[in-house]
Amino acid sequence: MTKAVESVLAGLDTIRGQVEDLYRDLHAHPELGLAETRTAARVAERLRAWGFTVTDAIGGTGVVGLLPNGSGPTVLLRADMDALPVREATGLPYASAAVATDRSGREVPVMHACGHDVHVSCLLGCARLMAQGRQSWRGTLVVLFQPSEENGDGAHAMLRDGLTDRVPRPDVAFAQHVLPYPAGYVGVRPGPFFSAADNLRITLHGRGAHGSMPQSSIDPVVLAALCVVRLQTIVSREVAATDPAVLTVGSLHAGSSPNVIPDSATLELNIRSYSGATRARILDAIRRCVRAESQASAAPREPDIETLSSFPPTSNDAETAVRLDRAFRAHFGAAADTIGLQTASEDFSEIPDAFGTPLCYWGIGGIDPEQYAAAARNGTVDQDIPVNHSPVFAPVVQPTLDTGIAALTVAALEWLACDQE
């Protein structure tokens, strides 16, 4: 541990209770993407009280705090703020009972099922410690609270609203995510971290008829079934086993009556990949397969293929990740390790890409260590440990928050500490 890290983190004991209270408050009051008005207001209020220059309402609900402290590097730390349309089933005393209207006009339950409340709390904790410990560092700290990560459009919204003109170019950009690992764990890796994600809607066209007269139809239900099976061969037979990728057909809709063959069927797909070449190969293969199956079924026209959303891959700058890994191991000891590839996806990389800034993203654990150890001994981690987006995903408050605050602080001070000069 460097003297700067030791000095700044010495204040953690005095703010821990306030950070925990804030976390519980955020968890109990989740908000959907681009509707994070309450969360953003609390973030902005605290940053201003600690001496940050605050710009809010960037891209709708985004907040940026700027803390200049003499000459030196500029470091950007980011947290995402939005929650998910999930009904909480954790049974926690601070569980969410919130409901909201989503973008389609439906009333939905809302829950912080992905841990963004952890991210906001940890970044605010780090921001306060850095503001209190200015004697230990030099440079500029930028803290960015991003909306609508779950929808994949929050980073783009902030950029479209002139983020790169409102913030000095960072020398490095950092973010972290709470994941289903033991609380206290910190893991980083050079190169690919989160996968790219593409969500597609495919409409297959047929010819409707009475269920008793299939010879008069071109059955899109059968066509859809053939496509589902065929699509599963893309990853298993067209992508190398050493190149991770996932293709999931998550939705299939056709017809409304058992005795009516419909005119069309709709598939919705999710594709995960880590390299641009593999991503392009899979997307091309999807188009080829569904068009070929449609032609083989004598469909009256080619399928419609619509991109619903796309997330870029998150790939860590190798030099930055190696340097950060050393800093984490020095501070956290055996709790720091090289993390494996993550099949989740993120949109944050659009922001450092727009600045031309190196990015490094890492994971922290949020699961009770004893619960995780028991599941690991039994070989049932996949079955017994709740994962992000689950209605029972509930990071333990500690040591999760302390670890997240410390990790952000260690990362910032690796570049900003006076003893680095």
Side-chain angles (χ1 to χ4, degrees):
M1 182 188 298
T2 67
K3 291 181 180 178
V5 170
E6 183 178 9
S7 175
V8 173
L9 287 180
L12 181 54
D13 288 343
T14 64
I15 70 166
R16 180 176 292 113
Q18 296 169 50
V19 174
E20 292 174 357
D21 288 345
L22 171 66
Y23 165 69
R24 295 185 182 97
D25 176 73
L26 294 175
H27 188 88
H29 299 92
E31 296 169 300
L32 296 175
L34 298 180
E36 308 94 338
T37 52
R38 182 183 186 275
T39 305
R42 278 154 176 71
V43 166
E45 177 186 20
R46 284 162 173 77
L47 293 177
R48 289 191 176 103
W50 303 331
F52 284 78
T53 300
V54 175
T55 305
D56 55 11
I58 305 177
T61 48
V63 180
V64 173
L66 194 64
L67 189 65
N69 191 34
S71 62
T74 297
V75 171
L76 186 150
L77 306 176
R78 172 270 200 170
D80 38 12
M81 300 187 293
D82 57 322
L84 286 158
V86 172
R87 189 178 304 280
E88 183 159 356
T90 63
L92 291 167
Y94 51 91
S96 168
V99 295
T101 302
D102 69 12
R103 297 183 188 184
S104 68
R106 296 177 303 161
E107 188 175 88
V108 294
V110 187
M111 175 194 174
H112 267 300
C114 200
H116 297 186
D117 47 352
V118 171
H119 305 165
V120 172
S121 302
C122 289
L123 184 49
L124 283 173
C126 170
R128 184 171 183 185
L129 293 179
M130 294 291 286
Q132 292 176 178
R134 295 183 212 195
Q135 73 282 355
S136 297
W137 60 275
R138 294 291 180 270
T140 300
L141 178 66
V142 180
V143 290
L144 186 151
F145 295 82
Q146 180 200 310
S148 199
E149 181 277 329
E150 298 292 356
N151 294 309
D153 56 3
H156 183 69
M158 295 188 78
L159 291 169
R160 191 175 58 242
D161 202 14
L163 177 67
T164 56
D165 297 324
R166 303 186 189 204
V167 175
R169 179 189 177 276
D171 292 282
V172 66
F174 295 124
Q176 66 181 6
H177 209 298
V178 62
L179 296 168
Y181 292 87
Y185 169 86
V186 179
V188 67
R189 61 178 293 116
F193 187 85
F194 283 134
S195 70
D198 295 280
N199 294 310
L200 306 181
R201 178 183 294 129
I202 298 174
T203 302
L204 302 165
H205 301 286
R207 184 171 63 238
H210 197 290
S212 67
M213 293 175 272
Q215 72 278 7
S216 297
S217 77
I218 296 175
D219 193 337
V221 178
V222 174
L223 171 56
L226 292 168
C227 285
V228 170
V229 173
R230 179 67 181 179
L231 290 169
Q232 296 308 309
T233 69
I234 293 174
V235 171
S236 66
R237 290 297 176 266
E238 298 191 37
V239 177
T242 53
D243 186 2
V246 177
L247 190 159
T248 297
V249 180
S251 174
L252 194 165
H253 292 278
S256 58
S257 175
N259 66 341
V260 177
I261 296 171
D263 284 323
S264 64
T266 302
L267 309 176
E268 291 185 345
L269 281 61
N270 177 259
I271 303 98
R272 307 277 173 160
S273 57
Y274 292 92
S275 75
T278 301
R279 185 184 196 182
R281 179 182 301 168
I282 293 173
L283 292 174
D284 286 346
I286 289 169
R287 297 184 189 98
R288 185 190 74 236
C289 288
V290 297
R291 287 169 180 162
E293 290 293 352
S294 292
Q295 184 177 13
S297 296
R301 58 190 176 98
E302 286 195 344
D304 298 321
I305 303 173
E306 176 188 0
T307 299
L308 301 177
S309 63
S310 289
F311 290 77
T314 300
S315 188
N316 287 336
D317 176 72
E319 182 178 346
T320 304
V322 169
R323 180 175 172 180
L324 197 58
D325 182 58
R326 286 197 299 264
F328 283 161
R329 290 175 190 270
H331 180 78
F332 294 103
D337 200 359
T338 302
I339 197 168
L341 286 170
Q342 304 297 306
T343 51
S345 301
E346 258 277 3
D347 68 339
F348 171 58
S349 63
E350 294 181 22
I351 291 175
D353 283 352
F355 281 106
T357 295
L359 160 70
C360 193
Y361 205 121
W362 64 87
I364 62 171
I367 303 300
D368 178 86
E370 293 185 4
Q371 178 188 0
Y372 192 95
R377 285 194 300 270
N378 295 332
T380 57
V381 169
D382 288 341
Q383 293 76 39
D384 294 346
I385 300 302
V387 297
N388 304 69
H389 292 214
S390 162
V392 294
F393 183 72
V396 293
V397 175
Q398 294 294 2
T400 304
L401 294 179
D402 277 7
T403 303
I405 293 169
L408 288 166
T409 305
V410 168
L413 290 174
E414 178 65 19
W415 270 257
L416 298 176
C418 293
D419 52 15
Q420 296 294 326
E421 296 178 352

